Amino acid sequence: MSELAERNCQPCRADSPPVAASARPALLAQLTGWSIEQADGMDQLGAQFTFANFAKALAFANRVGELAEAADHHPRIVLEWGKVEVRWWTHAIGGLHENDFIMAARTSAAFNAGFKN
């Protein structure tokens, strides 16, 4: 598991600061396959994961859901046959918090640990 994935998520409130634009490249460099995308007027971290079939994609989506529940931080998960799209952002601040990068790293670690084709 990466150093980023091992960090603890911090409680986030509406007045919590977003990740500074200058800090984003260093955090993003620690994530393979993730990009910052604009959606619904805010920056979000997004990645797509591919699988051999629907059952594996569903199992991965459920694993991401378990990680989200454990951290009390919830992504957008889109499940299709052989594909799962995951987007992390912090609703309370309308953008990206360090927690989003941590959860993206944990998502990738889960994929690499048991779901990578």
Side-chain angles (χ1 to χ4, degrees), residues 25-84:
L27 290 168
L28 199 55
Q30 297 177 59
L31 301 171
T32 302
W34 291 84
S35 62
I36 297 174
E37 305 162 8
Q38 269 281 321
D40 300 322
M42 64 190 89
D43 289 339
Q44 300 178 4
L45 275 174
Q48 188 169 289
F49 301 87
T50 57
F51 304 88
N53 56 47
F54 184 80
K56 288 183 180 182
L58 177 60
F60 177 71
N62 285 328
R63 178 66 185 125
V64 173
E66 291 167 359
L67 292 170
E69 278 296 296
D72 195 26
H73 191 54
H74 304 95
R76 175 179 184 254
I77 302 171
V78 177
L79 168 67
E80 299 179 45
W81 190 98
K83 181 170 49 173
V84 175

